[in-house]
Amino acid sequence: MSGSKKLLWLMLAAFLPAVMAAEYDSCARPEAVWATWDQGHGRSYAYGAVQSDENIYVVGRAHGNLSLGTVHRNGTFTDHSGTQPDPFTLSTLTFSHHDADTCCIISGGPNGTGCCDNGQNPATTQHGMDVVLYTLDEDGAPKSVYFVDTMPVDGITNGISNKDPAKGGSVNGGSGGFSFFGAIDSFEKAGNAEHVVIAGRHRGRLSFPLSNGTLVHFDNAKFGERANGWGYNAVVAKIDLGNNGLAWVTSGGMMDEKVRSSAEAVATTAAGHVIAVGELQGDDGGQFIVKFDGADGKVVWTETYPELDHLYGMDSVDENIYVTGQFKGNGTEAFGLGNLISLCDAGEGSDAVVFAIDAGGADGPAFTWMTQIGCGQGASVEFSSSGTDGEYLYIAGSLSEGATTVTATPEPTSGQGACTLTGKHGGYLAKIHKDDGKCVWAKDTPNSLRAVSDGDSVWAANYGNNAVIYDGNHRVTPNGPNAEKDMFVAKYRADDGTAYWASAVGGIGNEQLYDMTMTSEGPMLMGYSDSASFTMGDLTIHNMQHDRLGRKEDEPSGLRGMFAAVLSPDDVIPPCITACPSGDLYDEATTVAADICYADSACIADGDTSPSRACFMCESDKAQKELTGPIAGPGEAHCYFNDVCVPKNAGKRWYILGNSNSVCEQCDPDVTSKGWSLKPGYFHDRDFALTIDGGMGAPQARGGSCTGCPTNPTLGGTDPADDWKKDEYSRANKYGLLFVADTGGCQLLPNVSMPASPSSSLDAALANPITWASIAAVGARLTNAVAAIESATKNNQGAELAAAWYLANPDTCVRAVSACLEEEVVADACAQSEVCAGTPAAHADAMANQFGTSLYYGHANARVKVMQKLAMLQNDLDTGTTTVADIKKDVIAHILVPMYQGAIQAANMMDTTATAANGLADYAAYWAIIKDKVAFDANDKAHLEALAATSNPDDLGTNNFCIVKTLLHRNLPDASKLQYIHDWVPCPDGLPAKDCPGASTTARATDVTGVHDLNATLVGVAVDLTEADLGLLKVFNCSDGSAAALSPPSAMAPPSPPGLPPATCSAEFAKCLSEANGRSSSFSCTTASSSFDIDLGPVGPELVDDVVGSFCSSTTEPCQEAEPCKYVDP
């Protein structure tokens, strides 16, 4: 080789990247160094941790007994008593390193004994829970625990929630005391490695032990209620863990007696001072930044900034503090950095930001720079000086989709970094200079809660129960068959942000991440878990709480336990990968052992399913790095939708915080594998579930009646309802159907049981109807049903006869075709298969679909109301209840609603030439059914009768829809003032955010719900039938032949009074109408802006005021029928 050619090759080689895997495709995978779990009996959480010298200090909270047990990579198990036998079991271990209960001691079995004054479970009660500081050595072995008891200020734990002390309740309210300390740092920078500072919020009395055992009480007597943010005060405390004693505690500079405050992050400085940030609510509130003298806790200075929000992440170097959160401003100079404007929406939105302050002065924080990332929220900022690439900050958070450039203010002397982001995955990870905030690199990632670095690698983590998308080719799903909550971690190169891998961390149950910190052994993730066990690499740890509660290996324990795991900085090649020369899992040279697949970060044997995607199977003869699936559908064990394998019979996740999972919506692959199915015997109102229902789970599971249970706000919906009052039991949906709180929009669909010896008339009614019945045939069944209702007595099977004519026999008939609302139910199953074709019930569902009065799975609101009332009629006839007459009236009213809808739809067809003849025939058929069953206004009835008698469709005109709708709406069937409720608790033993016990193993609604009753109460106004029950035809024709699409009514409206409500229209148009009134049935209006041809057809000109105005509201929109005109004679 010549010298020139050799030089060229060397130059090219200098520009080639180092050989490494494609992003997220590294063969090497994470391995756990150690994992620790609360093995005592009680709920517990790890909220934060810091390594200081050779110890790791974990801050959290505990209820009941707390006892951490740690499994190490070499297989040994250690707890507070030292190294324990292997295998460790319930019989070989002790579980009482710390008892958190103030009111009681756990004994007598898994449920413990009563606690305090209100019979609470000591393993979970809020009364007497402890703030805990657990000391571990750097290998994870438990050493000691420091605790801070939390109680009401006055010690009253009877659960009475009343501001008046004379009522006997605590000054802190029925919930008593509460504490949350989510932030921790050590004083190692200042030379005191065993001193730590914790920050958070509390209500009630905190009792801090001094080193001599004396307790120091720190009180907050605020009443806990939503109006004052539950009465929390921010609090910061310094603890000497070398002597297990309080140094100082304070809320100074962070609170107001009238509003809530909370300290969210804390850091110490090299001079031994403490900086805390957090939120102060109220008119003068914002995000506070406060400096405390580390020696005595006195406030040095405090400032509050309304321009900042969600300051949840902080780190420090010397006297410099780095904070991340949100900034919103449109030209503020509050930070001394010039005129700052948030990048998001040109100053109208909030940016994810990180900023630096010099906290060394005595007069306040001195901002030195601010880096803006884009529309989003900063969550994590971490300093790293180790490794190979100098001193930088690693930042992470959430980011809305949209192009953005990371920008530092003031502009760094070397210029802005070339860092752009898109937000397409919901988050970001970036590396910036600590001295000026200049961006080195930035990466689109999923939303991250925390990110840490050892200088060579960066780990970013979050949690959730949905699949996490890292890029177009990499999606990570939670572990376990039920898609429960997991932690998600990804590892990146620190020098350029290139991804190594992404993985779910957790078992088959729920894992939630609260924090991540860097230790000498690797990144430490912490939070809670209720899984049966946890495995990563060669390490496996079992959950003794799970075993104690007798849970199966494939189900969560239901009791959250403090959990933490440390990952090795050095990844390992999984044992089933036999060769990986390039480091890339998908390289052709990478080989997997015979009869095994490697996918989803696991070695999977032939025929086995993925630990995280249970409907994907290893078939190694097809592929060894991909799985076969999804295996879902009829006869299979799973549904597959939203990129999740959902086990058969699993209930849909709760809609409102604290409720149990749904008892009526389930995965049934035999019905549909692409969405949820409704369990037989139920109906479901999604609008109620999202925007009206109350939260906090079944009252029985909360130790009391339903009074006061719906107290949490809704999480879903665009216009959530007001918080429920403490004595509120039920609320109505937009059609007046009452639902008890905490039902998730589920309610039993009543049925009318048939007698063992049916009469011949009943046999005739139960006979299968004509499948494609005409309107007249459906009307004949309806007429028979009405007659049966009117004549029903205790002895003539009248209620049963009416139900049979309405429903026929679903066990023998041909079922109706689906009539679900396609725009609402995309993949979810439709419930139409439960009704017989050719019946009034099937007709009700079909009409409801057209008028927007269907509930989510296709049940007509009218059908539900008919069945409720028929079931009550059957019962009340047997018992002689005095409301029988009213119930009969209401049954007939709702049986007729679909006939009204059909007549209005037919009238709409009459307005178009091509469909006028068919529309007229349909209208006449519907009118024949309706006219003698309702007490109409005589004039209105004459108009409707004349229209039905029209012999020539060419004489109909083009305003029939508006005429018929107007007249029918003001002549609704007579209904009572009864309000009906199905009084039931859907999941009597349900726990918040858990499946209802027994719901997944039962086939029908009544199998799990226990006692339930339909009741009717007389109220002051007519509520059972309103215009909302009729809805609004989704597409209708206007006078000019154009179509206008209108949405169904969004809220229940009161019945309209006789005549049309007043509105306004243009003066010129009103004048034209006034002049035309009573003169002609066909006329033209010409105004300065438009002209209109008005044709009333054979009905007559006397309806100009009443009918024409109902759809002519302006000169430019003559068919907005919802805004009638008011006519003024000029």
Side-chain angles (χ1 to χ4, degrees):
M1 179 182 287
S2 67
S4 61
K5 291 183 178 179
K6 182 177 181 179
L7 178 62
L8 176 62
W9 168 249
L10 290 174
M11 291 175 65
L12 286 171
F15 289 96
L16 291 174
V19 175
M20 68 168 294
E23 292 219 87
Y24 301 107
D25 286 341
S26 173
C27 283
R29 292 284 150 166
E31 180 182 43
V33 180
W34 55 262
T36 190
W37 215 329
D38 178 11
Q39 305 289 5
H41 180 56
R43 184 184 297 164
S44 58
Y45 308 79
Y47 292 138
V50 61
Q51 179 164 354
S52 186
D53 196 13
E54 296 182 352
N55 287 327
I56 297 172
Y57 302 114
V58 182
V59 65
R61 92 169 190 252
H63 312 244
N65 289 334
L66 173 70
S67 187
L68 283 184
T70 302
V71 170
H72 308 270
R73 184 164 42 182
N74 63 8
T76 60
F77 177 86
T78 57
D79 64 6
H80 60 281
S81 300
T83 302
Q84 298 296 323
D86 183 25
F88 57 94
T89 66
L90 286 173
S91 61
T92 60
L93 299 180
T94 59
F95 303 100
S96 187
H97 197 185
H98 173 63
D99 186 350
D101 298 313
T102 300
C103 305
C104 54
I105 303 298
I106 296 180
S107 63
N111 292 323
T113 60
C115 184
C116 302
D117 300 325
N118 203 28
Q120 293 116 16
N121 186 341
T124 59
T125 180
Q126 187 167 302
H127 297 305
M129 69 180 188
D130 284 358
V131 178
V132 294
L133 275 163
Y134 230 119
T135 301
L136 314 176
D137 68 21
E138 60 186 338
D139 294 320
K143 295 173 66 175
S144 65
V145 60
Y146 178 85
F147 59 91
V148 183
D149 188 45
T150 306
M151 284 287 285
V153 166
D154 48 21
I156 297 174
T157 60
N158 58 18
I160 296 175
S161 185
N162 196 301
K163 290 184 179 181
D164 182 2
K167 301 292 185 180
S170 170
V171 296
N172 290 128
S175 299
F178 182 83
S179 57
F180 176 92
F181 284 78
I184 185 172
D185 200 7
S186 82
F187 286 82
E188 186 176 20
K189 307 178 190 73
N192 294 308
E194 292 183 321
H195 291 190
V196 300
V197 62
I198 58 175
R201 62 182 180 267
H202 91 294
R203 180 186 66 248
R205 168 167 290 176
L206 298 176
S207 296
F208 291 86
L210 297 176
S211 56
N212 62 6
T214 303
L215 294 178
V216 174
H217 299 309
F218 190 71
D219 289 351
N220 167 14
K222 288 180 181 176
F223 188 85
E225 61 180 341
R226 185 176 305 283
N228 68 349
W230 300 113
Y232 297 130
N233 282 345
V235 60
V236 174
K238 179 180 179 180
I239 314 293
D240 177 0
L241 289 176
N243 295 302
N244 272 348
L246 172 72
W248 51 260
V249 58
T250 183
S251 292
M254 303 181 293
M255 62 164 282
D256 184 306
E257 286 297 337
K258 297 180 180 179
V259 297
R260 162 191 169 132
S261 63
S262 178
E264 302 293 348
V266 70
T268 63
T269 73
H273 297 304
V274 174
I275 309 297
V277 298
E279 179 188 36
L280 178 66
Q281 294 184 349
D283 294 339
D284 298 324
Q287 297 289 295
F288 61 76
I289 305 176
V290 60
K291 177 179 179 179
F292 301 102
D293 187 312
D296 56 16
K298 291 182 179 179
V299 176
V300 178
W301 47 253
T302 183
E303 297 289 345
T304 302
Y305 299 91
E307 301 87 353
L308 299 175
D309 206 356
H310 301 300
L311 302 184
Y312 294 155
M314 183 161 60
D315 207 347
S316 65
V317 180
D318 299 325
E319 299 303 302
N320 297 305
I321 307 296
Y322 306 98
V323 186
T324 189
Q326 279 187 319
F327 159 68
K328 179 180 179 181
N330 197 355
T332 179
E333 298 185 0
F335 309 104
L337 298 173
N339 191 42
L340 281 177
I341 300 174
S342 49
L343 302 176
C344 187
D345 297 332
E348 299 301 316
S350 296
D351 285 347
V353 296
V354 60
F355 56 84
I357 60 174
D358 180 350
D363 298 325
F367 288 77
T368 56
W369 55 260
M370 179 181 287
T371 295
Q372 297 164 257
I373 293 93
C375 298
Q377 178 181 319
S380 178
V381 55
E382 178 84 5
F383 167 70
S384 177
S385 61
S386 60
T388 60
D389 61 348
E391 297 186 345
Y392 296 93
L393 301 173
Y394 295 91
I395 61 174
S398 62
L399 193 64
S400 300
E401 189 163 3
T404 185
T405 300
V406 181
T407 306
T409 301
E411 183 171 346
T413 55
S414 58
Q416 300 285 357
C419 295
T420 59
L421 294 163
T422 67
K424 61 184 177 181
H425 301 312
Y428 65 91
L429 177 67
K431 177 180 181 178
I432 63 176
H433 288 272
K434 74 175 181 65
D435 295 330
D436 57 12
K438 179 179 179 177
C439 186
V440 179
W441 54 258
K443 188 176 189 68
D444 282 302
T445 68
N447 177 23
S448 293
L449 179 66
R450 288 288 183 264
V452 299
S453 175
D454 62 1
D456 294 319
S457 301
V458 185
W459 291 263
N462 207 333
Y463 70 93
N465 58 0
N466 295 318
V468 177
I469 299 173
Y470 284 88
D471 63 19
N473 299 314
H474 296 86
R475 178 191 304 266
V476 178
T477 56
N479 292 320
N482 296 319
E484 302 285 359
K485 204 160 39 178
D486 260 350
M487 302 178 188
F488 295 91
V489 186
K491 181 181 179 182
Y492 305 86
R493 289 173 56 130
D495 58 352
D496 62 5
T498 300
Y500 289 111
W501 49 257
S503 179
V505 176
I508 56 89
N510 291 281
E511 282 76 29
Q512 179 163 327
L513 178 80
Y514 280 104
D515 199 6
M516 182 165 59
T517 193
M518 201 67 208
T519 74
S520 56
E521 298 285 345
M524 176 180 174
L525 300 97
M526 71 211 69
Y528 72 75
S529 173
D530 69 354
S531 291
S533 61
F534 165 77
T535 297
M536 178 169 278
D538 292 332
L539 183 148
T540 295
I541 183 171
H542 296 280
N543 180 4
M544 294 296 102
Q545 295 213 57
H546 181 276
D547 293 354
R548 184 182 294 105
L549 293 168
R551 301 288 192 258
K552 298 177 182 178
E553 285 301 304
D554 62 351
E555 65 178 348
S557 70
L559 198 60
R560 300 167 179 176
M562 180 183 290
F563 175 83
V566 170
L567 309 185
S568 172
D570 301 316
D571 302 325
V572 296
I573 302 293
C576 62
I577 297 180
T578 54
C580 186
S582 69
D584 190 331
L585 175 65
Y586 293 98
D587 190 287
E588 291 184 359
T590 298
T591 58
V592 180
D595 302 323
I596 292 178
C597 301
Y598 185 81
D600 297 341
S601 299
C603 296
I604 305 169
D606 249 339
D608 288 349
T609 57
S610 165
S612 59
R613 297 184 297 161
C615 59
F616 287 79
M617 178 187 294
C618 171
E619 294 183 329
S620 62
D621 58 337
K622 296 181 179 178
Q624 288 190 279
K625 300 173 188 176
E626 302 288 345
L627 301 177
T628 301
I631 303 170
E636 301 295 344
H638 290 86
C639 303
Y640 184 74
F641 50 92
N642 298 329
D643 302 312
V644 174
C645 299
V646 182
K648 184 176 182 178
N649 298 326
K652 191 179 190 301
R653 190 169 181 258
W654 48 269
Y655 294 96
I656 306 297
L657 179 64
N659 282 353
S660 300
N661 292 339
S662 178
V663 299
C664 71
E665 294 179 275
Q666 64 177 358
C667 158
D668 186 348
D670 295 329
V671 176
T672 180
S673 62
K674 298 180 180 179
W676 298 104
S677 301
L678 192 68
K679 186 175 289 190
Y682 285 98
F683 64 92
H684 170 71
D685 185 358
R686 184 66 54 85
D687 180 62
F688 181 90
L690 287 173
T691 64
I692 304 175
D693 199 4
M696 294 310 290
Q700 286 89 334
R702 303 174 66 240
S705 68
C706 198
T707 300
C709 65
T711 56
N712 267 18
T714 102
L715 294 183
T718 57
D719 187 20
D722 294 335
D723 292 346
W724 288 52
K725 298 179 177 62
K726 295 185 183 300
D727 58 350
E728 198 170 3
Y729 182 72
S730 62
R731 281 190 181 178
N733 70 356
K734 64 186 178 184
Y735 305 117
L737 283 168
L738 279 173
F739 287 78
V740 174
D742 309 323
T743 54
C746 296
Q747 193 168 147
L748 296 179
L749 183 64
N751 193 23
V752 175
S753 58
M754 293 295 149
S757 301
S759 66
S760 58
S761 297
L762 185 54
D763 280 334
L766 289 170
N768 293 337
I770 302 171
T771 304
W772 298 106
S774 64
I775 296 170
V778 172
R781 295 189 69 93
L782 183 147
T783 299
N784 288 336
V786 170
I789 294 165
E790 291 175 333
S791 62
T793 66
K794 180 177 180 179
N795 300 316
N796 69 358
Q797 299 182 352
E800 294 83 354
L801 190 60
W805 283 119
Y806 186 72
L807 292 169
N809 187 351
D811 293 332
T812 62
C813 70
V814 175
R815 303 298 181 90
V817 177
S818 170
C820 277
L821 291 171
E822 294 181 0
E823 67 271 24
E824 290 187 14
V825 185
V826 178
D828 295 344
C830 192
Q832 254 46 57
S833 59
E834 68 187 24
V835 296
C836 296
T839 61
H843 180 266
D845 286 345
M847 285 295 104
N849 181 29
Q850 297 301 312
F851 282 77
T853 53
S854 288
L855 302 177
Y856 186 77
Y857 287 93
H859 294 87
N861 166 60
R863 174 159 71 96
V864 170
K865 288 189 173 184
V866 167
M867 293 311 301
Q868 283 186 337
K869 292 155 184 58
L870 281 175
M872 286 198 69
L873 180 62
Q874 183 185 43
N875 175 77
D876 289 2
L877 286 172
D878 287 340
T879 59
T881 305
T882 57
T883 55
V884 164
D886 279 338
I887 294 173
K888 287 183 175 183
K889 181 193 305 182
D890 292 343
V891 179
I892 294 171
H894 289 285
I895 281 181
L896 289 172
V897 163
M899 302 296 117
Y900 271 54
Q901 293 171 327
I904 293 169
Q905 183 186 51
N908 182 59
M909 296 170 60
M910 292 155 59
D911 285 342
T912 301
T913 302
T915 58
N918 289 336
L920 178 59
D922 287 353
Y923 170 75
Y926 282 119
W927 176 243
I929 298 167
I930 296 169
K931 63 181 182 179
D932 295 327
K933 297 179 178 66
V934 178
F936 277 83
D937 173 84
N939 289 332
D940 291 347
K941 185 173 185 178
H943 296 318
L944 293 168
E945 182 71 33
L947 188 59
T950 304
S951 59
N952 186 353
D954 294 337
D955 296 334
L956 287 172
T958 58
N959 297 316
N960 301 286
F961 167 77
C962 291
I963 294 169
V964 172
K965 178 183 179 298
T966 299
L967 298 183
L968 288 181
H969 272 244
R970 71 187 190 192
N971 288 273
L972 294 178
D974 190 21
S976 76
K977 295 182 179 181
L978 291 176
Q979 193 165 41
Y980 298 81
I981 184 169
H982 204 159
D983 183 11
W984 70 302
V985 176
C987 187
D989 300 315
L991 293 172
K994 301 295 180 185
D995 275 331
C996 176
S1000 63
T1001 58
T1002 54
R1004 292 189 60 84
T1006 54
D1007 294 338
V1008 74
T1009 54
V1011 177
H1012 46 275
D1013 297 295
L1014 272 168
N1015 297 309
T1017 304
L1018 190 66
V1019 295
V1021 294
V1023 294
D1024 192 58
L1025 179 65
T1026 71
E1027 286 189 278
D1029 287 283
L1030 268 65
L1032 187 64
L1033 188 63
K1034 290 187 289 183
V1035 178
F1036 62 86
N1037 293 317
C1038 294
S1039 60
D1040 61 357
S1042 64
L1046 297 182
S1047 300
S1050 59
M1052 192 172 74
S1056 298
L1060 293 165
T1064 59
C1065 58
S1066 73
E1068 290 179 299
F1069 192 44
K1071 179 180 179 181
C1072 176
L1073 291 174
S1074 177
E1075 292 174 346
N1077 189 16
R1079 298 183 183 178
S1080 173
S1081 63
S1082 299
F1083 59 92
S1084 297
C1085 283
T1086 302
T1087 72
S1089 57
S1090 304
S1091 63
F1092 305 96
D1093 291 326
I1094 308 298
D1095 184 0
L1096 296 180
V1099 176
E1102 63 272 21
L1103 286 180
V1104 171
D1105 268 345
D1106 286 349
V1107 178
V1108 176
S1110 73
F1111 63 87
C1112 298
S1113 64
S1114 74
T1115 58
T1116 56
E1117 293 183 274
C1119 34
Q1120 290 293 325
E1121 54 80 34
E1123 298 182 10
C1125 290
K1126 179 179 180 181
Y1127 309 107
V1128 180
D1129 191 336

